[in-house]
Amino acid sequence: MLIDGHGRKVDYLRVSVTERCNFRCQYCMPDKPFSWKPKENLLSFEELFLFIKAAMDEGITKVRITGGEPLLREDLDKFVAMIYNHNPAVDLALTTNGYLLKQTAQKLKDAGLKRLNISLDSLKPQVAKEIAQKEVLGSVLEGIEESLRVGLGVKINMVPLKGVNEDEIVDLLDFAKERGIEIRFIEYMENAMANHQIKGLLGKEILEKIKEKYRIEKIGRQGSSPSFAYKLEDGYRFGLIDPHKHDFCESCNRIRLTAEGFLIPCLYFDEAMSIKDAVQKGDIEAAVEVLRQVLRDKPEKNRWNEDENELSNRAFYETGG
Ligand code: SAM
Ligand code: SF4
């Protein structure tokens, strides 16, 4: 079992397989093109897997593949199969913008993927284009339908932004509800890479919008999920991810691995340690020692609820969100 320096059990590893993306979301990486890190810097799937395998043997039971846009990395289904074949009981999920899912959902499902979180910020083509800086809505919707068709578990992620898509919170909730899938509203997390003009809605503002149409009941945090659950009168459940809230970090159970081999203890802070040398030498013990060190150093809390002017330098496209 893996326990961090604050006594929290850590059983969840998020793995970013690339920082590259085919979107340029305003809240994530609005100002590219820029120089991507050279492809040679990336760990191969075999190297990433060496670490993931060791981490699963130490107590990781949930692995999420993310990015950048993870579906841009060739043969991602083979990587999924490596993890699944090592331990078919692992809770194996993927976070994606959905653009390439129409072509890949079946292969991912066949490889052992169980669940997908798909980002969907608007149902209006023009607004989706404004956020992602590309015409994306049609392909994303096709990707969602295809994922449901092949039997993958699907959740929708939405980041509500003031004056941009805040009027669609209820529409997106209804979109998910009609399909019997969960939607999770994520508070915009201010960071140095994002468009500084944008402002997100706080959790309570998101709930106010939903209350204009529905009566809602508070359920609570589900285990160590970052998402706080709510229920409508008809029993439909949705989630709210509210890192600005004071109690958000109490049950944090996760660490992050970047495509270049940095292990990151907290999404907010710059701290990271590399497992690259260890996995490239095939030295599993050294990689596990880095994992233990990162857990010892894991901060108690993020700082999104503190000083608005002090931005996190962490790029979401590197850490995978
Ligand atoms: N490209 C994939 C996608 O968009 O789903 C995976 C990577 S993305 C970094 C993972 C998640 O982080 C997405 O749900 C995205 O909406 C969210 N995200 C990115 N930047 C964010 C920010 N500044 N605040 C809150 N959520 C953010
Ligand atoms: Fe790409 Fe996802 Fe970042 Fe949007 S949030 S730019 S889709 S990595």
Side-chain angles (χ1 to χ4, degrees), residues 14 21-23 25 27-28 65-70 95-98 117-119 121 157-159 186-191 194 316-321:
R14 295 177 66 102
C21 192
N22 44 357
F23 290 13
C25 299
Y27 48 68
C28 182
I65 301 167
T66 173
E69 177 44 43
T95 300
T96 170
N97 61 31
N117 283 26
I118 305 173
S119 301
D121 292 321
N157 286 346
M158 178 199 190
V159 180
I186 307 177
E187 283 180 346
Y188 164 60
M189 292 171 244
E190 299 78 8
N191 69 91
F316 276 67
Y317 53 85
E318 270 175 6
T319 58

PDB file of all heavy atoms in Angstrom, residues 14 21-23 25 27-28 65-70 95-98 117-119 121 157-159 186-191 194 316-321, ligand 1:
ATOM      1  N   ARG A  14      -2.194   8.997 -12.680  1.00  0.00           N
ATOM      2  CA  ARG A  14      -2.596   9.577 -13.972  1.00  0.00           C
ATOM      3  C   ARG A  14      -1.353   9.667 -14.838  1.00  0.00           C
ATOM      4  O   ARG A  14      -0.322  10.188 -14.388  1.00  0.00           O
ATOM      5  CB  ARG A  14      -3.194  10.976 -13.771  1.00  0.00           C
ATOM      6  CG  ARG A  14      -4.494  10.973 -12.995  1.00  0.00           C
ATOM      7  CD  ARG A  14      -4.994  12.391 -12.771  1.00  0.00           C
ATOM      8  NE  ARG A  14      -5.384  13.057 -13.992  1.00  0.00           N
ATOM      9  CZ  ARG A  14      -6.648  13.220 -14.392  1.00  0.00           C
ATOM     10  NH1 ARG A  14      -7.648  12.783 -13.649  1.00  0.00           N
ATOM     11  NH2 ARG A  14      -6.924  13.842 -15.520  1.00  0.00           N
ATOM     12  N   CYS A  21      -1.368  18.480 -28.617  1.00  0.00           N
ATOM     13  CA  CYS A  21      -2.818  18.451 -28.706  1.00  0.00           C
ATOM     14  C   CYS A  21      -3.285  18.990 -30.053  1.00  0.00           C
ATOM     15  O   CYS A  21      -2.611  19.825 -30.656  1.00  0.00           O
ATOM     16  CB  CYS A  21      -3.443  19.271 -27.583  1.00  0.00           C
ATOM     17  SG  CYS A  21      -5.227  18.964 -27.480  1.00  0.00           S
ATOM     18  N   ASN A  22      -4.437  18.521 -30.487  1.00  0.00           N
ATOM     19  CA  ASN A  22      -5.045  19.014 -31.723  1.00  0.00           C
ATOM     20  C   ASN A  22      -6.044  20.136 -31.442  1.00  0.00           C
ATOM     21  O   ASN A  22      -6.650  20.660 -32.358  1.00  0.00           O
ATOM     22  CB  ASN A  22      -5.707  17.858 -32.497  1.00  0.00           C
ATOM     23  CG  ASN A  22      -6.499  16.937 -31.588  1.00  0.00           C
ATOM     24  OD1 ASN A  22      -6.516  17.108 -30.368  1.00  0.00           O
ATOM     25  ND2 ASN A  22      -7.152  15.942 -32.150  1.00  0.00           N
ATOM     26  N   PHE A  23      -6.257  20.504 -30.168  1.00  0.00           N
ATOM     27  CA  PHE A  23      -7.080  21.661 -29.796  1.00  0.00           C
ATOM     28  C   PHE A  23      -6.152  22.714 -29.169  1.00  0.00           C
ATOM     29  O   PHE A  23      -5.019  22.415 -28.811  1.00  0.00           O
ATOM     30  CB  PHE A  23      -8.130  21.293 -28.731  1.00  0.00           C
ATOM     31  CG  PHE A  23      -9.257  20.394 -29.190  1.00  0.00           C
ATOM     32  CD1 PHE A  23      -9.215  19.710 -30.389  1.00  0.00           C
ATOM     33  CD2 PHE A  23     -10.376  20.239 -28.383  1.00  0.00           C
ATOM     34  CE1 PHE A  23     -10.256  18.883 -30.789  1.00  0.00           C
ATOM     35  CE2 PHE A  23     -11.426  19.414 -28.769  1.00  0.00           C
ATOM     36  CZ  PHE A  23     -11.367  18.735 -29.969  1.00  0.00           C
ATOM     37  N   CYS A  25      -7.344  24.872 -26.346  1.00  0.00           N
ATOM     38  CA  CYS A  25      -8.374  25.403 -25.442  1.00  0.00           C
ATOM     39  C   CYS A  25      -7.889  26.645 -24.697  1.00  0.00           C
ATOM     40  O   CYS A  25      -6.742  26.707 -24.230  1.00  0.00           O
ATOM     41  CB  CYS A  25      -8.807  24.333 -24.455  1.00  0.00           C
ATOM     42  SG  CYS A  25      -9.518  22.902 -25.273  1.00  0.00           S
ATOM     43  N   TYR A  27      -8.444  27.677 -21.808  1.00  0.00           N
ATOM     44  CA  TYR A  27      -8.057  27.500 -20.408  1.00  0.00           C
ATOM     45  C   TYR A  27      -6.835  26.611 -20.237  1.00  0.00           C
ATOM     46  O   TYR A  27      -6.406  26.346 -19.119  1.00  0.00           O
ATOM     47  CB  TYR A  27      -9.234  26.949 -19.587  1.00  0.00           C
ATOM     48  CG  TYR A  27      -9.953  25.751 -20.207  1.00  0.00           C
ATOM     49  CD1 TYR A  27      -9.328  24.524 -20.317  1.00  0.00           C
ATOM     50  CD2 TYR A  27     -11.256  25.884 -20.678  1.00  0.00           C
ATOM     51  CE1 TYR A  27      -9.983  23.443 -20.889  1.00  0.00           C
ATOM     52  CE2 TYR A  27     -11.919  24.809 -21.245  1.00  0.00           C
ATOM     53  CZ  TYR A  27     -11.273  23.585 -21.342  1.00  0.00           C
ATOM     54  OH  TYR A  27     -11.921  22.518 -21.902  1.00  0.00           O
ATOM     55  N   CYS A  28      -6.286  26.146 -21.344  1.00  0.00           N
ATOM     56  CA  CYS A  28      -5.194  25.161 -21.245  1.00  0.00           C
ATOM     57  C   CYS A  28      -3.947  25.592 -22.011  1.00  0.00           C
ATOM     58  O   CYS A  28      -2.890  25.772 -21.431  1.00  0.00           O
ATOM     59  CB  CYS A  28      -5.708  23.817 -21.757  1.00  0.00           C
ATOM     60  SG  CYS A  28      -4.524  22.474 -21.671  1.00  0.00           S
ATOM     61  N   ILE A  65      -5.129   7.341 -18.401  1.00  0.00           N
ATOM     62  CA  ILE A  65      -4.248   7.842 -19.455  1.00  0.00           C
ATOM     63  C   ILE A  65      -4.794   9.180 -19.916  1.00  0.00           C
ATOM     64  O   ILE A  65      -5.998   9.331 -20.151  1.00  0.00           O
ATOM     65  CB  ILE A  65      -4.205   6.841 -20.630  1.00  0.00           C
ATOM     66  CG1 ILE A  65      -3.705   5.476 -20.144  1.00  0.00           C
ATOM     67  CG2 ILE A  65      -3.332   7.369 -21.755  1.00  0.00           C
ATOM     68  CD1 ILE A  65      -3.923   4.350 -21.138  1.00  0.00           C
ATOM     69  N   THR A  66      -3.887  10.173 -20.043  1.00  0.00           N
ATOM     70  CA  THR A  66      -4.344  11.509 -20.392  1.00  0.00           C
ATOM     71  C   THR A  66      -3.259  12.217 -21.203  1.00  0.00           C
ATOM     72  O   THR A  66      -2.344  11.586 -21.726  1.00  0.00           O
ATOM     73  CB  THR A  66      -4.777  12.259 -19.102  1.00  0.00           C
ATOM     74  OG1 THR A  66      -5.065  13.617 -19.411  1.00  0.00           O
ATOM     75  CG2 THR A  66      -3.758  12.217 -17.984  1.00  0.00           C
ATOM     76  N   GLY A  67      -3.341  13.536 -21.349  1.00  0.00           N
ATOM     77  CA  GLY A  67      -2.353  14.281 -22.128  1.00  0.00           C
ATOM     78  C   GLY A  67      -2.452  15.755 -21.756  1.00  0.00           C
ATOM     79  O   GLY A  67      -3.010  16.069 -20.703  1.00  0.00           O
ATOM     80  N   GLY A  68      -2.080  16.560 -22.642  1.00  0.00           N
ATOM     81  CA  GLY A  68      -2.263  16.703 -24.058  1.00  0.00           C
ATOM     82  C   GLY A  68      -3.423  15.833 -24.538  1.00  0.00           C
ATOM     83  O   GLY A  68      -4.294  15.491 -23.784  1.00  0.00           O
ATOM     84  N   GLU A  69      -3.436  15.555 -25.800  1.00  0.00           N
ATOM     85  CA  GLU A  69      -4.495  14.684 -26.312  1.00  0.00           C
ATOM     86  C   GLU A  69      -3.919  13.268 -26.500  1.00  0.00           C
ATOM     87  O   GLU A  69      -3.142  13.031 -27.439  1.00  0.00           O
ATOM     88  CB  GLU A  69      -5.062  15.250 -27.615  1.00  0.00           C
ATOM     89  CG  GLU A  69      -6.108  14.369 -28.257  1.00  0.00           C
ATOM     90  CD  GLU A  69      -7.146  13.803 -27.260  1.00  0.00           C
ATOM     91  OE1 GLU A  69      -7.615  14.543 -26.384  1.00  0.00           O
ATOM     92  OE2 GLU A  69      -7.455  12.601 -27.356  1.00  0.00           O
ATOM     93  N   PRO A  70      -4.292  12.349 -25.621  1.00  0.00           N
ATOM     94  CA  PRO A  70      -3.656  11.024 -25.649  1.00  0.00           C
ATOM     95  C   PRO A  70      -3.879  10.258 -26.951  1.00  0.00           C
ATOM     96  O   PRO A  70      -3.037   9.462 -27.351  1.00  0.00           O
ATOM     97  CB  PRO A  70      -4.303  10.287 -24.467  1.00  0.00           C
ATOM     98  CG  PRO A  70      -5.529  11.063 -24.130  1.00  0.00           C
ATOM     99  CD  PRO A  70      -5.265  12.473 -24.537  1.00  0.00           C
ATOM    100  N   THR A  95      -8.790  10.061 -20.432  1.00  0.00           N
ATOM    101  CA  THR A  95      -9.421  11.377 -20.587  1.00  0.00           C
ATOM    102  C   THR A  95      -9.041  11.923 -21.958  1.00  0.00           C
ATOM    103  O   THR A  95      -7.856  11.944 -22.306  1.00  0.00           O
ATOM    104  CB  THR A  95      -8.964  12.355 -19.489  1.00  0.00           C
ATOM    105  OG1 THR A  95      -9.325  11.816 -18.230  1.00  0.00           O
ATOM    106  CG2 THR A  95      -9.639  13.704 -19.633  1.00  0.00           C
ATOM    107  N   THR A  96     -10.025  12.349 -22.727  1.00  0.00           N
ATOM    108  CA  THR A  96      -9.770  12.775 -24.111  1.00  0.00           C
ATOM    109  C   THR A  96     -10.703  13.913 -24.498  1.00  0.00           C
ATOM    110  O   THR A  96     -11.777  14.068 -23.914  1.00  0.00           O
ATOM    111  CB  THR A  96      -9.983  11.582 -25.078  1.00  0.00           C
ATOM    112  OG1 THR A  96      -9.969  12.057 -26.428  1.00  0.00           O
ATOM    113  CG2 THR A  96     -11.292  10.853 -24.844  1.00  0.00           C
ATOM    114  N   ASN A  97     -10.284  14.656 -25.540  1.00  0.00           N
ATOM    115  CA  ASN A  97     -11.196  15.676 -26.065  1.00  0.00           C
ATOM    116  C   ASN A  97     -12.212  15.049 -27.026  1.00  0.00           C
ATOM    117  O   ASN A  97     -13.096  15.734 -27.528  1.00  0.00           O
ATOM    118  CB  ASN A  97     -10.424  16.823 -26.737  1.00  0.00           C
ATOM    119  CG  ASN A  97      -9.580  16.377 -27.927  1.00  0.00           C
ATOM    120  OD1 ASN A  97      -9.913  15.435 -28.638  1.00  0.00           O
ATOM    121  ND2 ASN A  97      -8.476  17.084 -28.147  1.00  0.00           N
ATOM    122  N   GLY A  98     -12.069  13.771 -27.335  1.00  0.00           N
ATOM    123  CA  GLY A  98     -13.083  13.039 -28.087  1.00  0.00           C
ATOM    124  C   GLY A  98     -12.998  13.150 -29.597  1.00  0.00           C
ATOM    125  O   GLY A  98     -13.696  12.436 -30.314  1.00  0.00           O
ATOM    126  N   ASN A 117     -13.419   9.704 -19.963  1.00  0.00           N
ATOM    127  CA  ASN A 117     -13.962  11.027 -19.665  1.00  0.00           C
ATOM    128  C   ASN A 117     -13.749  11.869 -20.911  1.00  0.00           C
ATOM    129  O   ASN A 117     -12.617  11.970 -21.395  1.00  0.00           O
ATOM    130  CB  ASN A 117     -13.243  11.680 -18.487  1.00  0.00           C
ATOM    131  CG  ASN A 117     -13.700  11.101 -17.176  1.00  0.00           C
ATOM    132  OD1 ASN A 117     -14.158   9.957 -17.122  1.00  0.00           O
ATOM    133  ND2 ASN A 117     -13.557  11.865 -16.108  1.00  0.00           N
ATOM    134  N   ILE A 118     -14.823  12.431 -21.414  1.00  0.00           N
ATOM    135  CA  ILE A 118     -14.722  13.207 -22.653  1.00  0.00           C
ATOM    136  C   ILE A 118     -15.048  14.667 -22.340  1.00  0.00           C
ATOM    137  O   ILE A 118     -16.077  14.961 -21.716  1.00  0.00           O
ATOM    138  CB  ILE A 118     -15.697  12.658 -23.722  1.00  0.00           C
ATOM    139  CG1 ILE A 118     -15.438  11.155 -23.942  1.00  0.00           C
ATOM    140  CG2 ILE A 118     -15.555  13.443 -25.022  1.00  0.00           C
ATOM    141  CD1 ILE A 118     -16.444  10.470 -24.859  1.00  0.00           C
ATOM    142  N   SER A 119     -14.174  15.562 -22.766  1.00  0.00           N
ATOM    143  CA  SER A 119     -14.400  16.988 -22.504  1.00  0.00           C
ATOM    144  C   SER A 119     -15.387  17.532 -23.518  1.00  0.00           C
ATOM    145  O   SER A 119     -15.222  17.350 -24.718  1.00  0.00           O
ATOM    146  CB  SER A 119     -13.078  17.756 -22.600  1.00  0.00           C
ATOM    147  OG  SER A 119     -12.171  17.224 -21.669  1.00  0.00           O
ATOM    148  N   ASP A 121     -17.449  21.211 -23.754  1.00  0.00           N
ATOM    149  CA  ASP A 121     -17.710  22.487 -23.095  1.00  0.00           C
ATOM    150  C   ASP A 121     -18.897  23.236 -23.669  1.00  0.00           C
ATOM    151  O   ASP A 121     -19.349  24.221 -23.078  1.00  0.00           O
ATOM    152  CB  ASP A 121     -16.468  23.389 -23.189  1.00  0.00           C
ATOM    153  CG  ASP A 121     -15.321  22.837 -22.363  1.00  0.00           C
ATOM    154  OD1 ASP A 121     -15.578  22.332 -21.257  1.00  0.00           O
ATOM    155  OD2 ASP A 121     -14.172  22.888 -22.828  1.00  0.00           O
ATOM    156  N   ASN A 157     -16.886  15.900 -19.126  1.00  0.00           N
ATOM    157  CA  ASN A 157     -16.279  16.967 -18.326  1.00  0.00           C
ATOM    158  C   ASN A 157     -16.598  18.309 -18.967  1.00  0.00           C
ATOM    159  O   ASN A 157     -16.378  18.477 -20.170  1.00  0.00           O
ATOM    160  CB  ASN A 157     -14.746  16.857 -18.329  1.00  0.00           C
ATOM    161  CG  ASN A 157     -14.230  15.721 -17.473  1.00  0.00           C
ATOM    162  OD1 ASN A 157     -14.940  15.144 -16.656  1.00  0.00           O
ATOM    163  ND2 ASN A 157     -12.964  15.393 -17.659  1.00  0.00           N
ATOM    164  N   MET A 158     -17.084  19.251 -18.179  1.00  0.00           N
ATOM    165  CA  MET A 158     -17.303  20.608 -18.697  1.00  0.00           C
ATOM    166  C   MET A 158     -16.628  21.624 -17.782  1.00  0.00           C
ATOM    167  O   MET A 158     -16.764  21.535 -16.552  1.00  0.00           O
ATOM    168  CB  MET A 158     -18.796  20.928 -18.739  1.00  0.00           C
ATOM    169  CG  MET A 158     -19.067  22.357 -19.234  1.00  0.00           C
ATOM    170  SD  MET A 158     -20.700  22.992 -18.804  1.00  0.00           S
ATOM    171  CE  MET A 158     -20.754  24.506 -19.785  1.00  0.00           C
ATOM    172  N   VAL A 159     -15.917  22.601 -18.377  1.00  0.00           N
ATOM    173  CA  VAL A 159     -15.336  23.708 -17.604  1.00  0.00           C
ATOM    174  C   VAL A 159     -16.162  24.968 -17.918  1.00  0.00           C
ATOM    175  O   VAL A 159     -16.039  25.542 -19.009  1.00  0.00           O
ATOM    176  CB  VAL A 159     -13.850  23.939 -17.992  1.00  0.00           C
ATOM    177  CG1 VAL A 159     -13.258  25.089 -17.175  1.00  0.00           C
ATOM    178  CG2 VAL A 159     -13.021  22.674 -17.799  1.00  0.00           C
ATOM    179  N   ILE A 186     -16.223  21.176 -13.884  1.00  0.00           N
ATOM    180  CA  ILE A 186     -14.906  21.415 -13.280  1.00  0.00           C
ATOM    181  C   ILE A 186     -14.679  22.913 -13.151  1.00  0.00           C
ATOM    182  O   ILE A 186     -14.812  23.644 -14.149  1.00  0.00           O
ATOM    183  CB  ILE A 186     -13.780  20.819 -14.167  1.00  0.00           C
ATOM    184  CG1 ILE A 186     -14.058  19.340 -14.483  1.00  0.00           C
ATOM    185  CG2 ILE A 186     -12.421  20.988 -13.510  1.00  0.00           C
ATOM    186  CD1 ILE A 186     -13.029  18.702 -15.423  1.00  0.00           C
ATOM    187  N   GLU A 187     -14.364  23.368 -11.949  1.00  0.00           N
ATOM    188  CA  GLU A 187     -14.026  24.785 -11.790  1.00  0.00           C
ATOM    189  C   GLU A 187     -12.777  25.088 -12.615  1.00  0.00           C
ATOM    190  O   GLU A 187     -11.804  24.300 -12.569  1.00  0.00           O
ATOM    191  CB  GLU A 187     -13.692  25.100 -10.324  1.00  0.00           C
ATOM    192  CG  GLU A 187     -14.892  25.221  -9.421  1.00  0.00           C
ATOM    193  CD  GLU A 187     -14.481  25.546  -7.979  1.00  0.00           C
ATOM    194  OE1 GLU A 187     -13.286  25.420  -7.628  1.00  0.00           O
ATOM    195  OE2 GLU A 187     -15.368  25.902  -7.205  1.00  0.00           O
ATOM    196  N   TYR A 188     -12.790  26.179 -13.336  1.00  0.00           N
ATOM    197  CA  TYR A 188     -11.588  26.610 -14.051  1.00  0.00           C
ATOM    198  C   TYR A 188     -10.476  26.850 -13.038  1.00  0.00           C
ATOM    199  O   TYR A 188     -10.666  27.563 -12.055  1.00  0.00           O
ATOM    200  CB  TYR A 188     -11.895  27.901 -14.833  1.00  0.00           C
ATOM    201  CG  TYR A 188     -10.660  28.628 -15.295  1.00  0.00           C
ATOM    202  CD1 TYR A 188      -9.757  28.007 -16.141  1.00  0.00           C
ATOM    203  CD2 TYR A 188     -10.390  29.922 -14.862  1.00  0.00           C
ATOM    204  CE1 TYR A 188      -8.603  28.656 -16.556  1.00  0.00           C
ATOM    205  CE2 TYR A 188      -9.246  30.594 -15.280  1.00  0.00           C
ATOM    206  CZ  TYR A 188      -8.357  29.950 -16.119  1.00  0.00           C
ATOM    207  OH  TYR A 188      -7.217  30.586 -16.520  1.00  0.00           O
ATOM    208  N   MET A 189      -9.311  26.242 -13.289  1.00  0.00           N
ATOM    209  CA  MET A 189      -8.167  26.439 -12.401  1.00  0.00           C
ATOM    210  C   MET A 189      -7.196  27.405 -13.071  1.00  0.00           C
ATOM    211  O   MET A 189      -6.654  27.101 -14.147  1.00  0.00           O
ATOM    212  CB  MET A 189      -7.492  25.085 -12.124  1.00  0.00           C
ATOM    213  CG  MET A 189      -8.356  24.169 -11.286  1.00  0.00           C
ATOM    214  SD  MET A 189      -7.679  22.488 -11.195  1.00  0.00           S
ATOM    215  CE  MET A 189      -8.975  21.574 -12.007  1.00  0.00           C
ATOM    216  N   GLU A 190      -7.020  28.557 -12.458  1.00  0.00           N
ATOM    217  CA  GLU A 190      -6.190  29.607 -13.042  1.00  0.00           C
ATOM    218  C   GLU A 190      -4.757  29.087 -13.171  1.00  0.00           C
ATOM    219  O   GLU A 190      -4.228  28.480 -12.237  1.00  0.00           O
ATOM    220  CB  GLU A 190      -6.194  30.847 -12.149  1.00  0.00           C
ATOM    221  CG  GLU A 190      -7.559  31.483 -11.939  1.00  0.00           C
ATOM    222  CD  GLU A 190      -8.432  30.741 -10.923  1.00  0.00           C
ATOM    223  OE1 GLU A 190      -7.924  29.822 -10.263  1.00  0.00           O
ATOM    224  OE2 GLU A 190      -9.624  31.079 -10.806  1.00  0.00           O
ATOM    225  N   ASN A 191      -4.150  29.323 -14.314  1.00  0.00           N
ATOM    226  CA  ASN A 191      -2.752  28.910 -14.471  1.00  0.00           C
ATOM    227  C   ASN A 191      -2.075  29.808 -15.484  1.00  0.00           C
ATOM    228  O   ASN A 191      -2.736  30.455 -16.307  1.00  0.00           O
ATOM    229  CB  ASN A 191      -2.665  27.427 -14.874  1.00  0.00           C
ATOM    230  CG  ASN A 191      -3.174  27.183 -16.287  1.00  0.00           C
ATOM    231  OD1 ASN A 191      -2.411  27.223 -17.238  1.00  0.00           O
ATOM    232  ND2 ASN A 191      -4.477  26.957 -16.429  1.00  0.00           N
ATOM    233  N   ALA A 194      -2.851  29.740 -19.402  1.00  0.00           N
ATOM    234  CA  ALA A 194      -4.201  29.988 -19.920  1.00  0.00           C
ATOM    235  C   ALA A 194      -4.339  31.425 -20.432  1.00  0.00           C
ATOM    236  O   ALA A 194      -3.508  32.289 -20.139  1.00  0.00           O
ATOM    237  CB  ALA A 194      -5.219  29.737 -18.813  1.00  0.00           C
ATOM    238  N   PHE A 316      -1.470  22.349 -17.753  1.00  0.00           N
ATOM    239  CA  PHE A 316      -2.404  21.212 -17.727  1.00  0.00           C
ATOM    240  C   PHE A 316      -2.094  20.215 -18.841  1.00  0.00           C
ATOM    241  O   PHE A 316      -2.317  19.025 -18.692  1.00  0.00           O
ATOM    242  CB  PHE A 316      -3.849  21.708 -17.842  1.00  0.00           C
ATOM    243  CG  PHE A 316      -4.422  22.135 -16.524  1.00  0.00           C
ATOM    244  CD1 PHE A 316      -3.937  23.242 -15.876  1.00  0.00           C
ATOM    245  CD2 PHE A 316      -5.421  21.393 -15.914  1.00  0.00           C
ATOM    246  CE1 PHE A 316      -4.441  23.631 -14.646  1.00  0.00           C
ATOM    247  CE2 PHE A 316      -5.937  21.769 -14.691  1.00  0.00           C
ATOM    248  CZ  PHE A 316      -5.438  22.895 -14.053  1.00  0.00           C
ATOM    249  N   TYR A 317      -1.577  20.746 -19.974  1.00  0.00           N
ATOM    250  CA  TYR A 317      -1.316  19.834 -21.095  1.00  0.00           C
ATOM    251  C   TYR A 317      -0.093  18.952 -20.830  1.00  0.00           C
ATOM    252  O   TYR A 317       0.103  17.960 -21.504  1.00  0.00           O
ATOM    253  CB  TYR A 317      -1.150  20.612 -22.416  1.00  0.00           C
ATOM    254  CG  TYR A 317      -0.119  21.720 -22.366  1.00  0.00           C
ATOM    255  CD1 TYR A 317       1.221  21.466 -22.581  1.00  0.00           C
ATOM    256  CD2 TYR A 317      -0.500  23.029 -22.087  1.00  0.00           C
ATOM    257  CE1 TYR A 317       2.156  22.477 -22.532  1.00  0.00           C
ATOM    258  CE2 TYR A 317       0.421  24.053 -22.038  1.00  0.00           C
ATOM    259  CZ  TYR A 317       1.749  23.773 -22.261  1.00  0.00           C
ATOM    260  OH  TYR A 317       2.676  24.778 -22.190  1.00  0.00           O
ATOM    261  N   GLU A 318       0.745  19.332 -19.833  1.00  0.00           N
ATOM    262  CA  GLU A 318       1.873  18.462 -19.475  1.00  0.00           C
ATOM    263  C   GLU A 318       1.469  17.446 -18.415  1.00  0.00           C
ATOM    264  O   GLU A 318       1.854  16.296 -18.452  1.00  0.00           O
ATOM    265  CB  GLU A 318       3.012  19.312 -18.891  1.00  0.00           C
ATOM    266  CG  GLU A 318       3.974  19.814 -19.906  1.00  0.00           C
ATOM    267  CD  GLU A 318       4.992  20.753 -19.266  1.00  0.00           C
ATOM    268  OE1 GLU A 318       5.001  20.923 -18.011  1.00  0.00           O
ATOM    269  OE2 GLU A 318       5.768  21.317 -20.022  1.00  0.00           O
ATOM    270  N   THR A 319       0.690  17.942 -17.460  1.00  0.00           N
ATOM    271  CA  THR A 319       0.355  17.072 -16.323  1.00  0.00           C
ATOM    272  C   THR A 319      -0.852  16.196 -16.611  1.00  0.00           C
ATOM    273  O   THR A 319      -1.082  15.218 -15.907  1.00  0.00           O
ATOM    274  CB  THR A 319      -0.025  17.923 -15.097  1.00  0.00           C
ATOM    275  OG1 THR A 319      -1.132  18.746 -15.460  1.00  0.00           O
ATOM    276  CG2 THR A 319       1.117  18.791 -14.652  1.00  0.00           C
ATOM    277  N   GLY A 320      -1.645  16.566 -17.603  1.00  0.00           N
ATOM    278  CA  GLY A 320      -2.827  15.768 -17.931  1.00  0.00           C
ATOM    279  C   GLY A 320      -4.056  16.154 -17.134  1.00  0.00           C
ATOM    280  O   GLY A 320      -5.062  15.469 -17.170  1.00  0.00           O
ATOM    281  N   GLY A 321      -3.976  17.262 -16.406  1.00  0.00           N
ATOM    282  CA  GLY A 321      -5.159  17.751 -15.661  1.00  0.00           C
ATOM    283  C   GLY A 321      -5.429  16.935 -14.428  1.00  0.00           C
ATOM    284  O   GLY A 321      -4.723  16.001 -14.098  1.00  0.00           O
TER     285      GLY A 321
HETATM  286  N1  SAM B   1      -7.027  16.600 -23.992  1.00  0.00           N
HETATM  287  C1  SAM B   1      -7.813  15.838 -23.078  1.00  0.00           C
HETATM  288  C2  SAM B   1      -9.077  16.560 -22.690  1.00  0.00           C
HETATM  289  O1  SAM B   1      -9.166  17.761 -22.938  1.00  0.00           O
HETATM  290  O2  SAM B   1      -9.943  15.933 -22.124  1.00  0.00           O
HETATM  291  C3  SAM B   1      -7.057  15.402 -21.856  1.00  0.00           C
HETATM  292  C4  SAM B   1      -6.143  16.399 -21.202  1.00  0.00           C
HETATM  293  S1  SAM B   1      -6.946  17.774 -20.459  1.00  0.00           S
HETATM  294  C5  SAM B   1      -5.566  18.658 -19.820  1.00  0.00           C
HETATM  295  C6  SAM B   1      -7.719  17.019 -19.053  1.00  0.00           C
HETATM  296  C7  SAM B   1      -8.838  17.796 -18.445  1.00  0.00           C
HETATM  297  O3  SAM B   1      -8.320  18.976 -17.881  1.00  0.00           O
HETATM  298  C8  SAM B   1      -9.946  18.194 -19.397  1.00  0.00           C
HETATM  299  O4  SAM B   1     -11.197  17.771 -18.891  1.00  0.00           O
HETATM  300  C9  SAM B   1      -9.865  19.698 -19.411  1.00  0.00           C
HETATM  301  O5  SAM B   1     -11.140  20.281 -19.576  1.00  0.00           O
HETATM  302  C10 SAM B   1      -9.276  19.994 -18.055  1.00  0.00           C
HETATM  303  N2  SAM B   1      -8.586  21.279 -17.957  1.00  0.00           N
HETATM  304  C11 SAM B   1      -7.597  21.750 -18.729  1.00  0.00           C
HETATM  305  N3  SAM B   1      -7.209  22.975 -18.309  1.00  0.00           N
HETATM  306  C12 SAM B   1      -7.987  23.271 -17.241  1.00  0.00           C
HETATM  307  C13 SAM B   1      -8.075  24.395 -16.369  1.00  0.00           C
HETATM  308  N4  SAM B   1      -7.290  25.458 -16.483  1.00  0.00           N
HETATM  309  N5  SAM B   1      -8.979  24.346 -15.359  1.00  0.00           N
HETATM  310  C14 SAM B   1      -9.791  23.280 -15.211  1.00  0.00           C
HETATM  311  N6  SAM B   1      -9.740  22.189 -15.998  1.00  0.00           N
HETATM  312  C15 SAM B   1      -8.857  22.182 -17.006  1.00  0.00           C
END
